[in-house]
Amino acid sequence: MKKTIIALMALAGVAAADTVITGADLTWDTSTPYKDCTTVDSGNLTYSGGGWWVNGPTGTLTQSITLGQNQVLEFSYSCDFGISNSILTLALANNNGAVVMGKTYDNEVRLGTTTDTGTAVARGYAFGNTNNPDYVANITSYTTLKDGANNVTFDVNVGDTVNTNDVTFTVAYNTTLSQFVGTLAYDGYTAKINLGETFSVNAITATFDGASAFVGHVNDIQLKVTTVPEPTTATLSLLALAGLASRRRRR
């Protein structure tokens, strides 16, 4: 009986195991920036002394993540900016495209997709209105975080410290739509985008843009995959607990 209970608990535990990947766990390639002004320290990114349209580093996962329908991916990071007229995008890329999120020049927080992968783009990503259309994977379809009828902005002032702006992006399967849906959240507001019947990630790419005085930081990068217990897993857990309770009563 004891062995059976342990086996049930083990099966339930395996099904509910989480995967957590931080920026420090990724293999970062800094060999391709347009100008050599991006550094990586323990998975945290710093851009300083730049030029316009810098394709920041690419962090490659040791093993790509392909979500099952009973799994949820949570991507989070924090950031700050040295000037308001600047852009930062982070993209979760795979072999077929990328989901891009970040701050635009007008401080809007946006979420979009592109069919260009992170490693195939020469100089990064942009949310429209770029003066380098030949070098940037422009995103023509995107959504902006909204506060009622108004756009929500980062409202980052020069000199603000890192970690004041936490952004989270969650991907989960929507059974009603029969596809994965991504939700970007910032400061209590959200934006959603449909991602198709499959979703995978094998790299994170960053883009920075701003005048010579632009300094930007991206810290606390984390990817977390959580398995949501299926009915069978929940049953195993209940059986294990019931077995333990029954064992205690007999004693």
Side-chain angles (χ1 to χ4, degrees):
M1 179 66 177
K2 183 178 180 180
K3 290 183 178 179
T4 302
I5 293 173
I6 293 174
L8 289 170
M9 294 181 71
L11 286 171
V14 168
D18 295 345
T19 299
V20 178
I21 299 171
T22 67
D25 297 324
L26 304 180
T27 301
W28 291 96
D29 179 7
T30 59
S31 63
T32 57
Y34 181 55
K35 292 187 178 181
D36 188 16
C37 47
T38 304
T39 59
V40 180
D41 181 13
S42 301
N44 296 322
L45 315 182
T46 298
Y47 171 86
S48 180
W52 296 99
W53 275 113
V54 175
N55 181 24
T58 295
T60 303
L61 282 66
T62 301
Q63 292 185 325
S64 61
I65 295 173
T66 299
L67 290 186
Q69 293 183 10
N70 65 324
Q71 293 181 307
V72 176
L73 180 143
E74 297 174 89
F75 174 58
S76 59
Y77 61 95
S78 60
C79 52
D80 70 356
F81 309 91
I83 59 175
S84 58
N85 183 25
S86 61
I87 187 172
L88 161 73
T89 65
L90 288 179
L92 299 183
N94 56 48
N95 294 328
N96 300 315
V99 179
V100 186
M101 61 209 77
K103 168 194 178 296
T104 66
Y105 296 111
D106 54 9
N107 290 328
E108 289 183 350
V109 183
R110 291 181 180 174
L111 170 68
T113 59
T114 175
T115 56
D116 295 287
T117 63
T119 55
V121 178
R123 291 172 65 180
Y125 296 94
F127 287 101
N129 299 323
T130 175
N131 57 358
N132 291 297
D134 295 333
Y135 297 98
V136 180
N138 288 304
I139 301 164
T140 56
S141 177
Y142 57 80
T143 180
T144 303
L145 292 182
K146 297 287 187 179
D147 174 11
N150 303 314
N151 292 330
V152 177
T153 67
F154 268 95
D155 291 331
V156 178
N157 300 309
V158 176
D160 280 359
T161 58
V162 182
N163 302 331
T164 58
N165 301 277
D166 296 325
V167 182
T168 59
F169 178 66
T170 304
V171 179
Y173 191 79
N174 185 304
T175 54
T176 301
L177 299 176
S178 298
Q179 64 177 302
F180 288 93
V181 176
T183 303
L184 182 68
Y186 168 75
D187 199 24
Y189 305 100
T190 59
K192 294 181 181 293
I193 196 165
N194 295 337
L195 301 173
E197 296 179 359
T198 61
F199 184 81
S200 61
V201 178
N202 58 26
I204 299 173
T205 66
T207 295
F208 301 92
D209 193 19
S212 59
F214 174 43
V215 176
H217 302 90
V218 179
N219 284 1
D220 310 318
I221 291 174
Q222 179 175 283
L223 284 162
K224 180 179 180 181
V225 178
T226 303
T227 300
V228 180
E230 297 176 338
T232 302
T233 304
T235 301
L236 288 173
S237 299
L238 289 175
L239 286 172
L241 292 173
L244 285 174
S246 175
R247 185 178 176 85
R248 288 174 180 172
R249 281 198 299 271
R250 287 175 183 175
R251 287 181 176 179

